[in-house]
Amino acid sequence: MHEEEIKSVVDALLKARHVAVLTGSGISAESGIPTFRGADGLWKKFRAEELATPEAFRKRPQLVWEWYAYRRQIISSAGPNPGHFALAEMQRWFPQFTLITQNVDGLHQAAGSEGVLELHGNIFIDRCASCGREESVMGRPIQMSGPPKCSCGGLIRPGVVWFGESLPAGVLEKAMAAARSAEVFFSIGTSALVYPAAALPEMAGESGAMVVEINPETTPLSGRVDVSLRASAASVLPKIVEKYKTVTSA
Ligand code: BV8
Ligand code: ZN
């Protein structure tokens, strides 16, 4: 299955100096974390677009806090899957490898990936909505009800990027530079609907990269990529690693 496509991807990887990857919630699906728009993407009938906004937090801080506490709970009991580990292994093969993620779950880092560009922040950061003070809460007991208060009196929110908020300065620029210089650009586990992240694969294609999409379903990007692997990340990424190692050790 997909032998043909995998061979063409490996052939391109063998010649590449800079490989870039954009991941979305689909790569964490096989770790048991619901995607945003998949069947299990709703929480208490709310869609992400209704909760992941500054307005929602202003209007219903407890509800938004509860949603993030629930997600922190799921992520804390989840671990990286073979898709995450495959990307961590691939990082070592190239002079330059840029992993850009829309995910806030930290699973790429847990799998050993380094220098991960977190376009949308990280769910285990607490940030004061007033003074902006940030603190990692990774590994701490999860405060299920909230939001807690900062010493300045402000409300604490998760350190993620909500709809309508700009991405962390510098991170998006680094991601765009990688999209422009990579010879191979992977778009993995993302519906390619949310901007500016969704512009990255297009940018890479326009700069001459081979764009590879890995997704069991089609997306608005599917018609414009060079290789479309209609498969799950946890199944096909290890196959790419295996094929690459067979060819390079031959
Ligand atoms: C900004 C963090 C402006 C928080 C998230 C109209 C047109 C165009 C744009 C806009 C518009 N109106 C508003 C906008 C801008 C908006 C936007 O793009 N909206 C969309 C909905 C149209 N963007 C923003 O607001 C961004 N900011 O533009 O700022 C600005 C400019 C200057 C100054 C000030 C402001 C900020 C966007 C970031 C929002 N935060 N998350 C949190 O996590 O709670 S977005 C969230 O959804 C994710 O982070 C991710 O980025 C995004 C998309 O989700 P995906 O990761 O793709 O997940 P999804 O469920 O959609 O898809 C999963 C895919 O995986 C599926 O395709 C599925 O088939 C596949 N899959 C499933 N299983 C597997 C699999 N694939 C592989 N293997 C499997 N096993
Ligand atoms: Zn504060």
Side-chain angles (χ1 to χ4, degrees):
M1 184 87 147
H2 308 299
E3 296 324 331
E4 192 81 357
E5 296 93 335
I6 290 174
K7 182 168 177 338
S8 63
V9 170
V10 169
D11 289 347
L13 291 177
L14 290 167
K15 297 191 283 278
R17 298 191 44 69
H18 183 184
V19 169
V21 180
L22 171 69
T23 61
S25 63
I27 195 164
S28 297
E30 280 148 303
S31 293
I33 298 171
T35 61
F36 284 93
R37 290 164 192 81
D40 53 0
L42 291 181
W43 179 75
K44 291 190 177 176
K45 325 182 297 312
F46 293 100
R47 288 181 306 112
E49 279 84 356
E50 295 168 281
L51 293 172
T53 70
E55 294 73 37
F57 187 68
R58 216 189 339 276
K59 264 200 252 97
R60 309 178 68 175
Q62 289 88 343
L63 179 78
V64 172
W65 180 268
E66 214 184 298
W67 179 49
Y68 281 93
Y70 157 73
R71 290 172 62 197
R72 282 177 171 176
Q73 229 174 11
I74 293 193
I75 293 166
S76 305
S77 50
N81 65 56
H84 295 106
F85 287 116
L87 290 176
E89 168 134 22
M90 285 170 69
Q91 175 150 30
R92 297 198 282 270
W93 299 346
F94 308 100
Q96 221 183 337
F97 184 90
T98 312
L99 178 52
I100 307 155
T101 190
Q102 302 172 84
N103 300 339
V104 297
D105 57 31
L107 290 182
H108 285 301
Q109 295 91 317
S113 291
E114 287 163 0
V116 179
L117 296 180
E118 292 181 311
L119 290 183
H120 296 158
N122 187 296
I123 200 166
F124 292 108
I125 299 279
D126 269 0
R127 183 196 311 149
C128 173
S130 303
C131 73
R133 203 169 63 84
E134 291 200 344
E135 181 179 33
S136 168
V137 293
M138 171 72 87
R140 287 211 210 140
I142 296 166
Q143 179 161 339
M144 294 312 285
S145 64
K149 279 231 166 83
C150 171
S151 47
C152 81
L155 289 183
I156 302 279
R157 54 168 283 181
V160 299
V161 178
W162 280 333
F163 288 101
E165 294 186 324
S166 26
L167 278 58
V171 179
L172 180 61
E173 287 65 25
K174 281 198 193 114
M176 291 200 283
R180 286 202 191 92
S181 88
E183 288 92 14
V184 182
F185 189 97
F186 288 87
S187 179
I188 303 174
T190 181
S191 56
L193 290 174
V194 171
Y195 286 81
L200 293 168
E202 293 161 50
M203 221 178 265
E206 279 151 21
S207 310
M210 168 195 266
V211 182
V212 182
E213 181 178 57
I214 297 178
N215 194 322
E217 286 160 33
T218 52
T219 71
L221 189 67
S222 304
R224 295 201 296 274
V225 296
D226 301 288
V227 180
S228 203
L229 282 159
R230 194 72 54 246
S232 89
S235 62
V236 80
L237 281 168
K239 284 196 188 124
I240 291 174
V241 169
E242 196 190 319
K243 178 81 182 162
Y244 182 91
K245 288 165 94 168
T246 316
V247 172
T248 47
S249 60

